[in-house]
């Protein structure tokens, strides 16, 4: 079954071979053909082949589905009171995670799964067609395994984050916790995870501890990613580069040496910026342009979590990145699509070319620039994921012509 999507005013492919060699690879007056789950043809509308079915995109913009490479969706409860207190002047610290840990441990599987499915729906409605999901609110062997099982129900990109914080019951013996995370907890979780991650920052884990845990995770067959440089300058960014981690996330306080290291590792380690975290903690934003100009590979992700960034909206992240992090609209769109795919080492998503997965989004706008130009406006009209056209109760799928 083939479907022709036509009358696309502006098609962003992220394939520089298209258009004028720009990284977004824009084709104007475009069309594409989907065959099953994959893209079978892409090009100018006038040259489009016949297909079994035909959908008009009504002269709007089509972009690759967003790839959200950093979320924490498996949790119970919420922390709006903490957010309100912070907006009244209280500082953010890693300690608030403990309240979510307590709520998550107390919740049954059905409650956790229902929450994950709700957030997955939100992501999809906002145009996210691939996402990563971390554990890290269980922090016992049993609760971490359970978190990863639940994450696995909604994505293959699951990350073991037993090293999120040291839980309260290990406050006086953090070494014992680190041995558990890199020993029995890791062994129990590895079959359910693709990635291993550590929250390497003030109040969480230091660089030596992160090295120990990531190295153990890699020995267990997981690939590394790392939270570093959110709350202050950190040697964690260079640790991620040294270990060949797929991504180092936050990088808010990256130094010139860090930027140089990330540029040198552009084919291996992506710098993933998380604007929702700075927004929700009223913290300084990192300078995205500085990383892009140096030659680093840069991604943007939501960091969806109940404490420091409770958003599932990549368009929101784009708007903030453009307004406050010196990204151009084009750089921000690339970072939320092809950049996210690079951060997950995926070569089947994030770019629209023949043979890749048919994951794309039609915007209610003539250009992708509207994602930043019209902040807060729900511009995601239709979402196609692996060739399936998703329609929502409040959105009408374009009538076929
Ligand atoms: Zn995070």
């Amino acid at each position: 079954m083939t479907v022709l999507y036509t009358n696309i005013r502006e098609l962003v492919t992220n394939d520089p071979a298209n258009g004028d060699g720009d990284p977004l690879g824009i084709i104007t007056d475009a069309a594409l053909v989907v065959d099953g789950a994959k893209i079978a043809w892409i090009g100018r509308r006038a040259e489009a082949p016949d297909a079994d079915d035909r959908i008009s995109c009504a002269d709007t913009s089509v972009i690759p589905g967003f790839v959200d490479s950093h979320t924490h969706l498996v949790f119970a409860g919420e922390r709006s009171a903490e957010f309100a207190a912070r907006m009244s002047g209280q500082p953010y610290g890693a300690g608030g995670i403990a309240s979510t840990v307590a709520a998550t441990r107390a919740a049954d599987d059905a409650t956790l799964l229902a929450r994950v499915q709700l957030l997955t729906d939100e992501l999809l409605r906002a145009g996210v067609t691939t996402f990563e999901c971390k554990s890290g609110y269980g922090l016992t062997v049993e609760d971490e395994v359970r978190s990863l099982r639940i994450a696995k129900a909604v994505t293959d990109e699951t990350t073991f984050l037993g090293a999120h914080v040291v839980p309260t019951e290990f406050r006086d013996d953090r070494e014992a916790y680190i041995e558990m995370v890199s020993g029995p907890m890791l062994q129990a979780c590895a079959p359910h995870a693709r990635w291993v991650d550590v929250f390497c920052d003030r109040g969480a884990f230091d660089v030596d501890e992160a090295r120990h845990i990531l190295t153990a995770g890699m020995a267990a067959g997981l690939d590394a990613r790392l939270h570093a440089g959110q709350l202050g300058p950190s040697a964690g960014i260079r640790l991620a580069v040294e270990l060949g981690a797929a991504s180092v996330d936050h990088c808010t306080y990256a130094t010139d040496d860090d930027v140089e290291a990330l540029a040198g590792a552009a084919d291996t380690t992506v710098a993933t910026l998380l604007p929702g975290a700075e927004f929700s903690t009223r913290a300084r934003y990192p300078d995205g342009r500085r990383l892009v100009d140096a030659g680093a590979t840069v991604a943007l992700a939501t960091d969806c979590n109940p404490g420091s960034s409770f958003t599932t909206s990549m368009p929101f992240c784009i708007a903030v990145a453009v307004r406050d992090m010196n990204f151009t609209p084009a750089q921000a769109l690339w970072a939320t699509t092809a950049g996210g795919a690079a951060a997950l080492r995926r070569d089947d998503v994030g770019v629209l070319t023949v043979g890749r997965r048919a994951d794309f989004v039609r915007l209610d706008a003539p250009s992708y620039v509207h994602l930043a130009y019209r902040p807060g406006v729900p511009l995601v009209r239709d979402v196609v994921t692996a060739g399936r056209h998703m329609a929502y109760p409040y959105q009408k799928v374009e009538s076929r012509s």
Side-chain angles (χ1 to χ4, degrees), residues 2-334:
T2 56
V3 182
L4 169 67
Y5 289 81
T6 187
N7 295 331
I8 303 170
R9 183 189 185 103
E10 173 198 85
L11 175 62
V12 175
T13 65
N14 286 337
D15 177 2
N18 294 323
D20 57 4
D22 180 82
L24 289 191
I26 291 174
I27 307 174
T28 52
D29 197 15
L32 65 84
V33 176
V34 173
D35 187 354
K38 293 191 172 170
I39 295 169
W41 184 89
I42 200 158
R44 304 276 294 185
R45 178 172 64 100
E47 292 151 22
D50 282 338
D52 301 328
D53 208 345
R54 176 189 171 93
I55 294 175
S56 170
C57 294
D59 208 27
T60 56
S61 176
V62 169
I63 61 172
F66 295 121
V67 180
D68 189 350
S69 61
H70 187 137
T71 80
H72 308 246
L73 306 183
V74 188
F75 64 88
E78 57 96 33
R79 283 154 59 192
S80 54
E82 180 190 318
F83 175 79
R86 204 157 58 230
M87 293 303 112
S88 314
Q90 289 182 17
Y92 172 71
I97 292 168
S99 66
T100 298
V101 170
T104 304
R105 286 176 179 175
D108 61 22
D109 289 11
T111 303
L112 292 176
L113 184 61
R115 168 62 68 80
V116 163
Q117 281 168 338
L118 213 67
L119 293 171
T120 299
D121 273 358
E122 276 187 22
L123 285 164
L124 192 61
R125 280 203 303 272
V128 172
T129 49
T130 301
F131 62 93
E132 178 261 18
C133 181
K134 302 175 200 298
S135 68
Y137 295 114
L139 309 187
T140 64
V141 173
E142 195 178 77
D143 285 311
E144 285 296 296
V145 169
R146 175 167 85 126
S147 298
L148 287 166
R149 278 214 181 100
I150 288 168
K152 195 94 186 174
V154 292
T155 182
D156 290 334
E157 300 291 348
T158 52
T159 300
F160 169 50
L161 182 61
H164 199 181
V165 287
V166 174
T168 322
E169 65 272 20
F170 281 90
R171 193 184 286 146
D172 298 326
D173 195 359
R174 59 184 295 120
E175 266 180 39
Y177 185 69
I178 290 162
E179 284 318 303
M180 183 170 81
V181 168
S182 47
M185 190 188 280
L186 169 66
Q187 296 310 321
C189 287
H192 309 286
R194 177 175 179 208
W195 306 96
V196 58
D197 194 348
V198 175
F199 186 14
C200 178
D201 226 314
R202 203 167 59 218
F205 295 88
D206 70 25
V207 174
D208 291 337
E209 292 165 347
R211 175 191 296 278
H212 179 75
I213 296 160
L214 290 180
T215 306
M218 292 164 79
L222 305 180
D223 286 330
R225 43 202 322 110
L226 185 63
H227 289 66
Q230 177 188 5
L231 304 174
S234 166
I237 296 173
R238 265 158 297 158
L239 172 68
V241 169
E242 181 201 320
L243 293 180
S247 180
V248 54
D249 297 31
H250 286 293
C251 295
T252 311
Y253 285 86
T255 63
D256 289 347
D257 286 348
D258 294 334
V259 172
E260 197 183 314
L262 288 163
D267 293 335
T268 316
T269 305
V270 173
T272 300
L273 308 186
L274 308 170
E278 277 83 34
F279 180 93
S280 302
T281 59
R282 199 175 270 154
R284 63 169 249 188
Y285 289 104
D287 184 348
R289 181 78 65 87
R290 174 179 172 230
L291 284 157
V292 173
D293 285 353
T297 303
V298 179
L300 286 161
T302 64
D303 191 17
C304 180
N305 78 81
S308 61
S309 182
F310 201 6
T311 182
T312 45
S313 174
M314 289 290 246
F316 167 77
C317 294
I318 288 175
V320 173
V322 170
R323 169 61 178 76
D324 288 318
M325 292 161 65
N326 289 324
F327 280 83
T328 65
Q331 288 166 346
L333 179 62
W334 192 93

